[in-house]
Amino acid sequence: MKNIIVAQSGGPTTAINASLVGVIKGALSSGGYDKVFGSLYGISGVLKEEFIQLENLSDEELHRIYSTPSSYLGSCRYKMPEIHEDSSIYEKIFEILNKYEVSAFFYIGGNDSMDTISKLAEYGSSIGSDIRFAGVPKTIDNDLVATDHTPGYGSAAKFIVASMLEFAHDTSVYKTPTVTLIEIMGRNAGWLTAAAALARNEYSDIPQLIYLPEVPFSTDNFIKDVKEVLKSTNNVVVAISEGLQDADGNYLSATKAACDKFGHAQLSGVGKILENLVKEELGVKCRSVEINILQRCAAHMASAEDLEESELLGEKAVEYAREGKTGYMTTIVRTSNEPYEYKIELANLDGIANQVKQVPKEWINPSGNDVTSEMLDYVRPLVCGEVDIEYKDGVPVYADISHLTGAV
Amino acid sequence: MKNIIVAQSGGPTTAINASLVGVIKGALSSGGYDKVFGSLYGISGVLKEEFIQLENLSDEELHRIYSTPSSYLGSCRYKMPEIHEDSSIYEKIFEILNKYEVSAFFYIGGNDSMDTISKLAEYGSSIGSDIRFAGVPKTIDNDLVATDHTPGYGSAAKFIVASMLEFAHDTSVYKTPTVTLIEIMGRNAGWLTAAAALARNEYSDIPQLIYLPEVPFSTDNFIKDVKEVLKSTNNVVVAISEGLQDADGNYLSATKAACDKFGHAQLSGVGKILENLVKEELGVKCRSVEINILQRCAAHMASAEDLEESELLGEKAVEYAREGKTGYMTTIVRTSNEPYEYKIELANLDGIANQVKQVPKEWINPSGNDVTSEMLDYVRPLVCGEVDIEYKDGVPVYADISHLTGAV
């Protein structure tokens, strides 16, 4: 009996279940594996032997999981200890993997998850185990190195672009000067915020200004920029990254701008802080809008390209494991921008986990308040294509997650 | 020559352009009118004679406008003076209407817009004018009296329900106790917040708690309620209306809970205030999410039912004007819940403008933290049906609004 375990970890995205379906399909179609165990709540589900079996799902069920947001198997934020510090947890995991006759383990996740899979592979090698370990990338932030982009990024970007265009309509209706600040996710990398530029079209140049964490943020320059744009339009919309930092590397959102009624420090988001600044400095109507968690879970606006690639990354991970490879992450290598073409390759996990890929400085304009056409060429193909979502009584139909919610 | 003017007013919604298309189609198909003037920025465009002509739009252009969010003609928040206080503005408007040979004027909007149209009709009667004046209702808040529901409500509700379901997936992935507060629009009426209950299904009871402005809000009871739900699940999601008020009728959001770094009072939203309260009182992880302006402009998630009705309300307004009626608003009269059926009727504008329709007390549970099945039966048909949106390069294609944005 040769079985596999698949698990998901880290923050939710719209594409992480497409990779799950890729792993399941890859395992079943290869004929090389028998059972597919889904570990609930990431690696912590392995330790507790909380498994559900996935090899008997129908095509219809698989398709529904494919287009369902967030992690079908649940998630965790579990940091594995260094092997030399505490090997007992590794021993326990391998004991369980052997008990369930597991010959390959697939972990779909971001930075921390790649760290986990890397350590498991390392421990496996050290004891001469032939269990294969593979990572499948995932993060809306697109900040993983070694891959052209990450699953989840394209869908989040698509939702942001569509929203930004809808904001352009919403904010154009009055003749009074107004500034609208749209706060977008990405603590250390501005990929998502940069994507907002795709909303510009022949009748709208919104967002007129874009600020990424890659550029030290100056409130003086920001106010000057907004003032300048207000000279030619009543309707200024600005895309700002939640991770903006000053020249000393301090997050704007950590300036404790406000205190609550008990006098306790209260962290404000960047949007709220800059909203108050605009009102103070320019005396103009200003509203800040946080797109918030919708950008990572609005599966009704997923990018078809993103989900297809995510599935393929899962399938290929299984294929490589069958070939005997271990300790890798599947990656996307872009071979052409126009037409957009790519292939799936492998990257060794060493060094992936603790790096952050930022928007290249050359893709940001010299003033640090916009992105260049290279950035647009990069992201444009990733938001393409719409996913057919089933609706019932006007509401999207997603996969049943009662194994997580505990509903009877 | 018999012409009409149509204008839009008040806050943006997803359905207001469907009513505009209804008016245009109604005017052209009736054969009774020649030119269709669209006044830019509501009634203020009439005063400035800022008109665009709408009678030559192609079917394709009309269809695109139909599914475009926000006001294609722009909007205003212009309060007409009482006639006896200042009749000069009325004289000027009628002068312009006569100059453009206008025989009917259609105003699509909410409470304030109905006030405007009512005054114009009244003034018209007083001077013996035969120009017809009609209002077409619109507001996501659904708080207009005399109509079963308002255009824009169904689409906003649909976006809220879809988002709430996606939040249910997003928040279910971790095993740690978490409270998520979803702040929903509706300053004086809880219709939109109540709609969130439609997200519940066979695997999720999210949102477990719902608080509307119709019920005086007690923070003590709220904390007790959340504590109680946390006994049976790790994942509590609460739908809260932005307009929550205490027993004395004070808005929670007006309590000036926070002060900024300059020491100035800073109004926090209800979500942020209750987020801090939950953290203080229960020591549990809590996040607040404002759905914000997306709920009123996310046309990619419009309700087909809503747009169809909105168009029909516009068409019928023209039909009634041709019959010689004036000083009315078209309304929806529901004749059956299952199957859902309705007819379009008229309501006299007197008294509509200054009333607010709230969720009936009988549709709220005795504890004041949920809605009853009657509320669900009411809103369910209104979110039904999806609208085909054209996409180009992964981005929705909406109507060109360069007449508002000033783009060349």
Side-chain angles (χ1 to χ4, degrees):
Chain A
M1 179 87 57
K2 285 179 98 175
N3 306 323
I4 70 160
I5 287 181
V6 56
Q8 299 171 309
S9 180
T13 79
T14 295
I16 191 168
N17 289 331
S19 293
L20 171 63
V21 169
V23 169
I24 298 170
K25 282 189 178 170
L28 299 179
S29 68
S30 70
Y33 301 102
D34 301 296
K35 291 181 183 162
V36 177
F37 294 107
S39 167
L40 298 184
Y41 307 104
I43 191 71
S44 61
V46 176
L47 286 160
K48 292 178 188 160
E49 301 178 43
E50 285 186 279
F51 301 129
I52 59 173
Q53 283 183 243
L54 301 169
E55 67 274 5
N56 294 320
L57 293 167
S58 68
D59 283 350
E60 194 193 339
E61 285 167 315
L62 283 174
H63 180 74
R64 190 166 288 171
I65 294 171
Y66 176 84
S67 52
T68 290
S70 200
S71 308
Y72 180 74
L73 298 175
S75 181
C76 68
R77 297 212 180 262
Y78 187 94
K79 178 94 177 154
M80 293 284 282
E82 297 300 323
I83 299 169
H84 65 269
E85 282 172 355
D86 178 8
S87 65
S88 66
I89 196 166
Y90 293 91
E91 286 160 22
K92 186 167 176 202
I93 288 172
F94 274 77
E95 197 182 296
I96 293 165
L97 296 181
N98 288 324
K99 177 177 160 189
Y100 285 88
E101 300 180 75
V102 169
S103 55
F105 182 98
F106 301 93
Y107 213 33
I108 313 169
N111 250 312
D112 295 340
S113 316
M114 295 308 126
D115 181 65
T116 298
I117 205 82
S118 175
K119 284 172 174 160
L120 287 171
E122 189 189 336
Y123 182 82
S125 302
S126 77
I127 61 164
S129 164
D130 59 0
I131 302 175
R132 307 296 159 198
F133 293 91
V136 181
K138 172 264 5 165
T139 167
I140 63 164
D141 292 338
N142 197 38
D143 60 354
L144 273 179
V145 296
T147 183
D148 179 75
H149 56 277
T150 55
Y153 172 59
S155 293
K158 186 187 181 88
F159 183 74
I160 288 165
V161 176
S163 301
M164 191 59 76
L165 178 59
E166 288 163 347
F167 293 153
H169 282 264
D170 188 278
T171 57
S172 294
V173 298
Y174 295 117
K175 265 194 153 173
T176 40
T178 316
V179 177
T180 310
L181 309 173
I182 312 296
E183 183 179 333
I184 297 169
M185 282 181 168
R187 196 121 181 96
N188 297 305
W191 296 105
L192 283 174
T193 308
L198 279 183
R200 294 174 187 151
N201 60 24
E202 65 280 12
Y203 60 80
S204 165
D205 54 0
I206 281 168
Q208 295 100 340
L209 297 166
I210 295 177
Y211 299 94
L212 313 183
E214 281 79 356
V215 179
F217 186 79
S218 149
T219 49
D220 286 351
N221 288 345
F222 165 74
I223 289 295
K224 268 183 219 155
D225 291 346
V226 172
K227 213 168 166 177
E228 187 59 35
V229 180
L230 274 171
K231 284 183 189 166
S232 59
T233 177
N234 277 324
N235 180 26
V236 183
V237 179
V238 187
I240 51 174
S241 165
E242 63 170 351
L244 292 181
Q245 295 150 43
D246 66 20
D248 299 324
N250 301 313
Y251 288 109
L252 250 73
S253 55
T255 52
K256 295 174 185 166
C259 54
D260 66 15
K261 56 182 165 184
F262 307 101
H264 298 131
Q266 181 189 333
L267 290 189
S268 276
V270 152
K272 210 66 187 166
I273 290 170
L274 295 180
E275 175 190 320
N276 288 328
L277 191 75
V278 168
K279 287 175 181 167
E280 294 277 340
E281 300 283 327
L282 300 177
V284 77
K285 207 181 147 193
C286 184
R287 177 203 283 267
S288 62
V289 176
E290 239 189 295
I291 300 189
N292 219 308
I293 55 173
L294 268 176
Q295 62 202 288
R296 72 182 189 201
C297 67
H300 69 268
M301 183 52 92
S303 149
E305 180 64 38
D306 185 26
L307 297 202
E308 277 166 33
E309 293 175 359
S310 303
E311 181 177 19
L312 197 56
L313 284 162
E315 266 187 73
K316 287 283 185 181
V318 179
E319 200 176 304
Y320 286 121
R322 283 209 64 210
E323 290 173 6
K325 297 199 171 59
T326 190
Y328 60 86
M329 176 181 92
T330 44
T331 65
I332 299 170
V333 176
R334 188 185 303 221
T335 52
S336 161
N337 242 353
E338 220 181 320
Y340 171 66
E341 283 168 3
Y342 69 95
K343 56 187 178 179
I344 305 294
E345 292 200 347
L346 290 188
N348 198 293
L349 282 169
D350 293 348
I352 289 180
N354 300 312
Q355 292 186 55
V356 172
K357 186 181 69 179
Q358 292 194 309
V359 177
K361 288 282 188 295
E362 317 85 74
W363 294 6
I364 302 170
N365 74 341
S367 310
N369 59 16
D370 204 348
V371 295
T372 67
S373 59
E374 286 90 344
M375 176 65 219
L376 291 180
D377 293 342
Y378 168 82
V379 66
R380 194 175 287 110
L382 312 184
V383 304
C384 281
E386 290 69 56
V387 179
D388 268 336
I389 299 279
E390 186 191 339
Y391 283 79
K392 194 177 167 237
D393 297 334
V395 185
V397 179
Y398 293 130
D400 186 326
I401 50 164
S402 40
H403 52 278
L404 299 179
T405 58
V408 184
Chain B
M1 179 94 47
K2 285 180 99 176
N3 304 324
I4 70 159
I5 288 181
V6 56
Q8 300 171 309
S9 180
T13 78
T14 295
I16 191 167
N17 289 331
S19 292
L20 171 63
V21 169
V23 170
I24 299 170
K25 283 189 178 172
L28 299 179
S29 69
S30 70
Y33 301 103
D34 302 296
K35 291 182 184 161
V36 177
F37 293 108
S39 167
L40 298 184
Y41 308 104
I43 190 72
S44 62
V46 176
L47 286 161
K48 293 178 189 158
E49 301 178 45
E50 285 187 279
F51 300 129
I52 57 174
Q53 282 182 245
L54 301 168
E55 67 274 6
N56 293 321
L57 293 168
S58 67
D59 282 350
E60 194 192 340
E61 286 167 314
L62 284 173
H63 180 74
R64 192 166 285 169
I65 294 170
Y66 177 84
S67 52
T68 290
S70 201
S71 306
Y72 180 73
L73 298 175
S75 181
C76 69
R77 296 211 181 265
Y78 187 93
K79 178 95 178 151
M80 293 285 281
E82 297 300 325
I83 299 169
H84 65 267
E85 283 173 353
D86 178 9
S87 65
S88 66
I89 196 164
Y90 294 90
E91 286 159 23
K92 186 166 177 202
I93 288 172
F94 274 77
E95 196 181 298
I96 294 164
L97 296 181
N98 288 325
K99 175 176 163 191
Y100 285 87
E101 299 179 74
V102 169
S103 54
F105 181 98
F106 301 93
Y107 213 34
I108 313 168
N111 249 312
D112 294 340
S113 317
M114 295 309 126
D115 181 64
T116 297
I117 205 81
S118 175
K119 284 171 174 161
L120 287 171
E122 190 189 334
Y123 182 81
S125 303
S126 76
I127 61 165
S129 164
D130 59 1
I131 303 175
R132 307 296 158 198
F133 293 90
V136 181
K138 173 266 359 166
T139 167
I140 63 164
D141 291 339
N142 197 38
D143 59 354
L144 274 180
V145 296
T147 183
D148 179 75
H149 56 277
T150 55
Y153 172 59
S155 293
K158 186 185 181 88
F159 183 75
I160 289 164
V161 175
S163 301
M164 191 58 77
L165 178 58
E166 289 164 346
F167 294 152
H169 282 264
D170 189 279
T171 56
S172 294
V173 299
Y174 296 118
K175 266 193 153 172
T176 40
T178 317
V179 177
T180 310
L181 309 174
I182 312 296
E183 183 178 333
I184 296 169
M185 282 181 168
R187 198 121 181 93
N188 297 306
W191 296 104
L192 283 173
T193 308
L198 278 183
R200 294 174 186 152
N201 60 23
E202 65 280 12
Y203 61 81
S204 165
D205 54 359
I206 282 168
Q208 294 100 341
L209 297 166
I210 295 177
Y211 298 93
L212 312 183
E214 281 80 356
V215 179
F217 186 78
S218 148
T219 49
D220 286 350
N221 288 346
F222 165 73
I223 290 294
K224 268 184 220 153
D225 291 346
V226 172
K227 213 169 167 178
E228 186 60 33
V229 180
L230 274 171
K231 284 182 188 167
S232 59
T233 176
N234 276 324
N235 181 25
V236 182
V237 179
V238 187
I240 51 175
S241 164
E242 62 172 350
L244 291 181
Q245 294 150 42
D246 65 20
D248 299 325
N250 301 313
Y251 288 109
L252 251 72
S253 55
T255 52
K256 296 176 183 164
C259 55
D260 67 14
K261 56 183 166 182
F262 307 102
H264 298 132
Q266 181 189 331
L267 289 190
S268 277
V270 153
K272 210 64 184 168
I273 291 170
L274 295 181
E275 174 189 320
N276 288 329
L277 191 74
V278 168
K279 286 175 182 168
E280 294 276 341
E281 300 283 327
L282 300 177
V284 78
K285 207 181 147 193
C286 183
R287 177 203 284 267
S288 62
V289 176
E290 238 189 297
I291 299 188
N292 219 309
I293 55 174
L294 268 175
Q295 63 202 290
R296 72 182 189 200
C297 67
H300 69 268
M301 183 52 92
S303 150
E305 180 64 38
D306 185 25
L307 296 203
E308 278 166 32
E309 293 175 359
S310 303
E311 181 177 18
L312 197 55
L313 284 162
E315 268 187 71
K316 288 281 185 183
V318 179
E319 199 176 304
Y320 286 120
R322 283 209 65 210
E323 290 173 7
K325 297 200 171 59
T326 190
Y328 59 87
M329 176 182 92
T330 45
T331 63
I332 299 170
V333 176
R334 188 184 304 222
T335 51
S336 160
N337 242 352
E338 219 180 321
Y340 172 65
E341 283 168 1
Y342 69 94
K343 55 186 179 180
I344 305 293
E345 293 201 346
L346 289 187
N348 198 294
L349 282 168
D350 293 346
I352 289 181
N354 301 312
Q355 291 185 57
V356 172
K357 187 181 68 180
Q358 292 195 308
V359 177
K361 288 282 189 295
E362 318 84 74
W363 293 5
I364 302 170
N365 72 342
S367 311
N369 58 15
D370 204 348
V371 294
T372 67
S373 60
E374 285 89 344
M375 175 65 218
L376 290 180
D377 293 342
Y378 168 82
V379 66
R380 194 175 288 111
L382 311 184
V383 304
C384 281
E386 290 69 53
V387 179
D388 268 337
I389 301 279
E390 187 191 340
Y391 284 79
K392 193 175 166 238
D393 297 334
V395 185
V397 178
Y398 294 129
D400 186 327
I401 50 165
S402 40
H403 52 277
L404 299 179
T405 59
V408 184

